[in-house]
Amino acid sequence: MMDYAHTDFQDESFDLIYAQGSISVPERKDIVKEIKRVLISKGLFCAGEIVSLKDPVPGFVNDIWERSGLEPLASSVVKKYYESKGLKC
């Protein structure tokens, strides 16, 4: 068991990383930074994450996310977000 944002893996340890429902959290920036660190330069990162399809998000959905500690991205900005972190989409 490790903290997603601070793993024990060596740099460039993986050619594939798959994340399912683990990046839609306040620590997203640190987790993505760690993924980039442990992924080989030509590696593949696949994310199956919670996203909001509407902006603004309906109040009851936002309440559920807040109580769960989730911070999903809007589907309209997902690609831009990951590209801004140096990943190619």
Side-chain angles (χ1 to χ4, degrees):
M1 298 286 290
M2 288 184 255
D3 179 349
Y4 291 129
H6 306 94
T7 68
D8 296 351
F9 301 117
Q10 294 179 7
D11 292 356
E12 299 188 7
S13 295
F14 299 95
D15 17 334
L16 170 67
I17 295 175
Y18 178 77
Q20 178 64 47
S22 53
I23 300 178
S24 299
V25 294
E27 299 85 8
R28 176 187 293 115
K29 180 181 171 186
D30 295 330
I31 293 170
V32 172
K33 184 178 177 181
E34 185 68 359
I35 287 169
K36 283 184 59 183
R37 183 186 71 77
V38 300
L39 189 64
I40 65 170
S41 62
K42 299 278 185 180
L44 183 62
F45 168 53
C46 300
E49 292 299 314
I50 300 166
V51 296
S52 62
L53 299 177
K54 294 183 179 183
D55 192 25
V57 176
F60 75 95
V61 173
N62 196 50
D63 290 345
I64 293 169
W65 288 346
E66 283 181 8
R67 284 188 216 124
S68 301
L70 297 173
E71 294 183 5
L73 295 170
S75 61
S76 60
V77 301
V78 170
K79 181 179 179 186
K80 184 177 178 181
Y81 175 81
Y82 286 112
E83 287 176 343
S84 77
K85 301 303 178 196
L87 295 166
K88 183 179 174 184
C89 295

